Amino acid sequence: MIELAPSILSADFARLGEQVRAACEGGASVIHVDIMDGHFVPNLTIGPPVVKSLRKVTDLPLDCHLMIDNPDEFIPRFADAGADWISVHQEVCRHLNRTLHLIKSHNCLAGVVINPATPVETLAEVLDIADYVLVMSVNPGFGGQKFIPSTLHKMRQLSEIRSQRRLNYRIEVDGGVALETVSDVVRAGAEILVAGHAVFGSGDPNKDDPRKNAEGLLKAATEAALVKV
Ligand code: DX5
Ligand code: ZN
């Protein structure tokens, strides 16, 4: 099943509740929340208080993507604030097995993320623990970047490994997902599609319609999934 996870990074934060509700009306079924610390990535975003506020405006799962150096310290706080899914970067976890179990111990789904330069092979020993694997299709840090096509083979690879090893993780993609790229990622095996600019627009008043944008993306994604079958 294909799911759309709008990234609030590109939303108008002064109208966050309204924008999240609009994306939800357009068919979004997960809300993607980008947490950045200014160390692991060259940008700063939000912390647990915003997750707590979001929790009050939507019943959809909150997918917290931690782009921070010390995720273990913050996992309990995001879980308490209302996160349902928490993902951590392979590149910062010295004890990835332990960190994924820590997420699960807080009753959240546990995800592991790989940057464009990180191979799928680095996840071999945790694929049976992860509930989902997030393939970054841009270098993390900013919304509105150009999709990197060379990351597609990692979605295919994850899909093949899942069948071969009879595992259950889901495959998520994040970065540059838009009408022009959505069919490629779906055909490569991505099932949870994160999209920021393509849902919330880029400050362009003509594109400021999250409901319509979400509907359009989901329609294109569903059509690509039908062709794939
Ligand atoms: C980038 C973030 C993404 C970002 C995606 O570091 O992880 O979630 O919001 O934005 P778009 O869809 O605009 O590339
Ligand atoms: Zn993200």
Side-chain angles (χ1 to χ4, degrees), residues 7 32-34 65 67 134 136 174 194:
S7 160
H32 185 81
V33 186
D34 289 305
H65 173 192
M67 285 162 274
L134 170 47
M136 288 306 302
D174 183 4
V194 177

Coordinates of all heavy atoms in Angstrom, one line a residue, residues 7 32-34 65 67 134 136 174 194, ligand 2:
S7 N 6.0 16.3 4.5 CA 7.0 16.8 5.4 C 6.6 18.3 5.8 O 6.6 19.1 4.9 CB 8.4 16.8 4.8 OG 9.2 17.7 5.5
H32 N 5.2 13.6 8.3 CA 6.6 13.5 8.5 C 7.2 14.8 9.1 O 7.0 15.9 8.7 CB 7.3 13.3 7.1 CG 8.7 13.0 7.1 ND1 9.3 11.8 7.3 CD2 9.8 13.8 6.9 CE1 10.6 11.8 7.3 NE2 10.9 13.1 7.0
V33 N 8.0 14.6 10.2 CA 8.5 15.7 11.0 C 10.0 15.7 11.0 O 10.6 14.7 11.5 CB 7.9 15.6 12.5 CG1 8.3 16.9 13.2 CG2 6.4 15.5 12.4
D34 N 10.6 16.7 10.5 CA 12.1 16.7 10.3 C 12.7 17.4 11.5 O 12.5 18.6 11.7 CB 12.5 17.4 9.0 CG 12.1 16.5 7.8 OD1 12.6 15.4 7.8 OD2 11.4 17.0 6.9
H65 N 11.7 12.1 12.0 CA 13.0 11.8 11.3 C 14.1 12.6 12.0 O 14.2 13.8 11.9 CB 12.8 12.2 9.8 CG 14.1 12.1 9.0 ND1 14.2 12.7 7.8 CD2 15.3 11.5 9.3 CE1 15.4 12.4 7.3 NE2 16.1 11.7 8.2
M67 N 17.4 13.9 12.5 CA 18.7 14.2 11.9 C 19.6 14.9 12.9 O 19.9 16.1 12.9 CB 18.5 15.1 10.7 CG 17.9 14.3 9.5 SD 17.2 15.4 8.3 CE 15.5 15.6 9.0
L134 N 14.4 4.1 5.7 CA 14.2 5.3 4.9 C 15.4 5.6 4.1 O 16.5 5.7 4.6 CB 13.9 6.5 5.9 CG 13.9 7.9 5.4 CD1 13.1 8.1 4.2 CD2 13.4 8.8 6.5
M136 N 17.3 8.1 1.9 CA 17.4 9.6 1.6 C 17.7 9.7 0.1 O 18.7 9.1 -0.4 CB 18.5 10.3 2.4 CG 18.1 10.5 3.9 SD 16.6 11.3 4.2 CE 16.8 12.9 3.4
D174 N 12.7 9.8 0.9 CA 12.6 11.2 1.4 C 13.6 12.1 0.6 O 14.8 11.9 0.7 CB 12.9 11.2 2.9 CG 12.8 12.6 3.5 OD1 12.4 13.5 2.9 OD2 13.2 12.7 4.7
V194 N 7.7 10.5 1.3 CA 7.8 11.8 2.0 C 7.8 12.9 0.9 O 8.6 12.7 0.0 CB 9.0 11.9 2.9 CG1 9.2 13.2 3.5 CG2 9.0 10.7 3.9
Ligands
ZN2 ZN 12.8 13.9 6.4

